[in-house]
Amino acid sequence: MITTLLQAAPAGGGIMSFLPMIAIVVVFYFFMIRPQMKKQKEHKKYIEELGVNSKVVTTAGIHGRIVEVSETTFLIDVGSGVKMRFDKSAVALDASKAANKE
């Protein structure tokens, strides 16, 4: 009886059973991970290129002009002489480029 059960079991396995999982990982990498890494790299390059008098928009939606650049922060003039210090990662986009898109 036991020998008939063992003979009825499929003899497959190996790499073919892992092929769908490998395909899912490859698709996930090319459609999710790689584009996100590219976007992060472009944003980092953009932040490094910003300088004094650049008009920017922060992630909080505050529009202003960069007055001072330090190693990790920007001092941004938001109008009427009000200046606020923001971390470089808080700058979302260049306001002049955003105006040109519209």
Side-chain angles (χ1 to χ4, degrees):
M1 177 100 163
I2 294 175
T3 56
T4 57
L5 289 176
L6 291 175
Q7 290 174 351
I15 192 89
M16 294 306 281
S17 64
F18 289 109
L19 194 58
M21 184 61 80
I22 293 169
I24 290 171
V25 169
V26 168
V27 168
F28 187 75
Y29 174 77
F30 281 107
F31 285 106
M32 300 289 286
I33 298 171
R34 193 165 176 236
Q36 184 65 28
M37 288 172 41
K38 183 178 178 184
K39 187 175 180 182
Q40 286 176 345
K41 191 181 292 185
E42 289 173 356
H43 188 260
K44 183 178 178 183
K45 181 182 174 191
Y46 160 71
I47 294 296
E48 290 172 355
E49 292 175 352
L50 285 175
V52 177
N53 291 328
S54 296
K55 293 182 179 178
V56 294
V57 179
T58 66
T59 54
I62 298 173
H63 295 248
R65 182 179 51 86
I66 296 176
V67 178
E68 177 186 312
V69 178
S70 69
E71 189 174 323
T72 59
T73 62
F74 290 124
L75 185 63
I76 299 177
D77 181 12
V78 294
S80 302
V82 177
K83 296 177 183 172
M84 301 173 81
R85 186 164 303 276
F86 287 94
D87 193 52
K88 285 187 173 183
S89 62
V91 174
L93 57 111
D94 186 359
S96 60
K97 288 181 182 177
N100 290 338
K101 288 182 181 178
E102 296 174 359

